[in-house]
Amino acid sequence: MMRVTGLHKAFGTHPVLTGVDLEVPEGTLTAILGPSGSGKTTLLRLLAGFDRADRGEIVIGGTVVDDDRTHVPPERRRIGYVPQEGSLFPHLTVAANVAFGLSRKGRRFGEAESLLAAVGLEGLGKRYPHQLSGGQQQRVALARALAIEPAVVLMDEPFASLDAHLRASVRADVQRIFHEAGTTAILVTHDQDEALSVADLVAVLRDGRIAQCAAPEDLYTAPADPALASFVGEANLLPGVHVAGSVQTVLGLLPLHQNGSGFPPSGNVTVLVRPEQIELGPPDGSIRATVIAYGYHGHDAVLHVQPAETASPSQTEPSSASASPDAPAPLLVRVIGGEHVPVGSAVSLQARGPVIAWPAP
């Protein structure tokens, strides 16, 4: 297990981490998700021991490795580190790269070959890094990180340089390898799809702190606040009025899902409706709209639709994208299968609940 408590780090007068609290359970893969510049790599470097925290505590496997009195150097932390580009030694063979951190005994008994087989590279030990594809090089870097039998493996955007198809394949392999080995791992990424599809837990780093750490399904369906809802996936944030467990919106009356603290207070609320919760129907439905944009993605399509000018009861300010002061803001709708709906089409909308909501600002 790894535990981080009250971690602070600044560079000069610029604060980067301002009180990070995080617990990574043993044997899990946890993703640190955040936009560029949010401090993800800084956090990873503190965990690895490359930098020292200004304040706070880091505990790995029950041992304090960084606090006000202690700073255990990287080589004594039992950390496996996989950088973004793999950073293999170009003059060493694949097997020699993997064996670099092994003891002489481990090298004699062929542990490098066993590790290469575990990451799907059996028989490639005599090749050099330049003779491998990008995905194969990342697997070698992973095998090298696992060679020291680490307490935790840290990965800094290890799939960023791979093309989309290869990235999906390699990260699926990495997920399988870690789960089979029971290795605790932390993955830093700015890619939401990557974090949600690979990790057991996703921790969102925002404003120098962990805004929420939860299972991917919980983070997506029950984000802690509207800003997180917009950051993790696509979101329609609608004004609404909460009364007795239901909420009135431009999409009609929708059942409300209780969050961790129950229902929000009655009155004006901000409602989250994901694009896939909205279904299109024929134009004679009760909630009418017009398609104003269409984006095809193969497995699905994302539409922008403009609801008719019947704003929700709680709408007090017009959207900048509205057609008139009374028009609600356009909505995102996801159509599974990529059904083509021409721009300008008249449609009706129906939302599937339950939805979650927060008190309006």
Side-chain angles (χ1 to χ4, degrees):
M1 184 194 71
M2 172 178 282
R3 187 177 69 250
V4 175
T5 307
L7 206 62
H8 288 72
K9 182 64 179 179
F11 296 100
T13 59
H14 176 61
V16 178
L17 303 179
T18 56
V20 171
D21 295 313
L22 177 65
E23 187 168 303
V24 178
E26 186 174 352
T28 62
L29 172 55
T30 297
I32 308 296
L33 177 65
S36 297
S38 60
K40 303 185 301 297
T41 296
T42 296
L43 175 57
L44 210 66
R45 290 181 61 83
L46 295 178
L47 298 178
F50 301 150
D51 295 323
R52 186 167 188 178
D54 298 331
R55 192 162 77 251
E57 182 182 74
I58 301 173
V59 178
I60 300 176
T63 301
V64 176
V65 297
D66 198 347
D67 63 8
D68 294 338
R69 301 176 301 277
T70 305
H71 179 71
V72 176
E75 65 273 15
R76 291 176 51 204
R77 293 194 180 193
R78 290 188 58 215
I79 291 287
Y81 187 76
V82 181
Q84 187 172 123
E85 300 296 335
S87 298
L88 302 179
F89 300 116
H91 62 291
L92 296 180
T93 64
V94 167
N97 266 279
V98 174
F100 185 80
L102 292 173
S103 65
R104 291 183 179 179
K105 180 180 178 181
R107 295 174 189 175
R108 285 199 310 269
F109 284 92
E111 288 188 21
E113 287 74 12
S114 297
L115 286 164
L116 286 172
V119 299
L121 297 178
E122 187 174 10
L124 300 184
K126 294 183 179 180
R127 294 190 184 184
Y128 286 85
H130 72 273
Q131 296 174 310
L132 303 180
S133 68
Q136 289 173 327
Q137 289 182 31
Q138 285 301 95
R139 288 186 178 93
V140 175
L142 177 60
R144 185 175 62 183
L146 292 171
I148 61 171
E149 298 183 354
V152 61
V153 172
L154 308 177
M155 297 177 286
D156 188 4
E157 306 224 28
F159 317 120
S161 61
L162 306 178
D163 63 63
H165 176 73
L166 188 57
R167 186 161 60 244
S169 173
V170 173
R171 69 192 187 195
D173 287 342
V174 168
Q175 182 185 43
R176 172 187 57 79
I177 291 163
F178 281 136
H179 284 170
E180 288 179 355
T183 302
T184 306
I186 296 177
L187 166 69
V188 157
T189 182
H190 67 274
D191 187 321
Q192 300 167 23
D193 289 340
E194 187 168 282
L196 294 176
S197 64
V198 171
D200 301 303
L201 293 171
V202 180
V204 179
L205 188 59
R206 183 181 69 187
D207 299 328
R209 295 172 179 262
I210 300 297
Q212 185 175 0
C213 181
E217 298 86 351
D218 295 334
L219 185 65
Y220 185 79
T221 59
D225 55 49
L228 274 172
S230 295
F231 178 68
V232 181
E234 295 171 307
N236 296 297
L237 296 175
L238 312 178
V241 176
H242 170 218
V243 179
S246 295
V247 60
Q248 182 67 46
T249 73
V250 69
L251 291 169
L253 188 66
L254 302 174
L256 203 55
H257 178 74
Q258 295 189 56
N259 57 27
S261 56
F263 290 130
S266 296
N268 290 352
V269 291
T270 298
V271 183
L272 168 64
V273 181
R274 294 292 187 185
E276 60 272 16
Q277 290 183 268
I278 304 176
E279 297 177 348
L280 299 182
D284 56 356
S286 59
I287 303 172
R288 301 182 182 183
T290 302
V291 177
I292 58 176
Y294 174 88
Y296 180 71
H297 301 284
H299 46 72
D300 65 13
V302 176
L303 287 67
H304 291 70
V305 300
Q306 177 63 62
E309 297 181 11
T310 306
S312 66
S314 64
Q315 187 167 349
T316 57
E317 295 184 6
S319 166
S320 60
S322 299
S324 77
D326 295 322
L331 302 174
L332 291 175
V333 178
R334 177 171 286 110
V335 179
I336 304 302
E339 175 189 352
H340 181 65
V341 185
V343 172
S345 297
V347 297
S348 64
L349 307 176
Q350 181 175 352
R352 293 179 288 105
V355 296
I356 69 167
W358 305 270

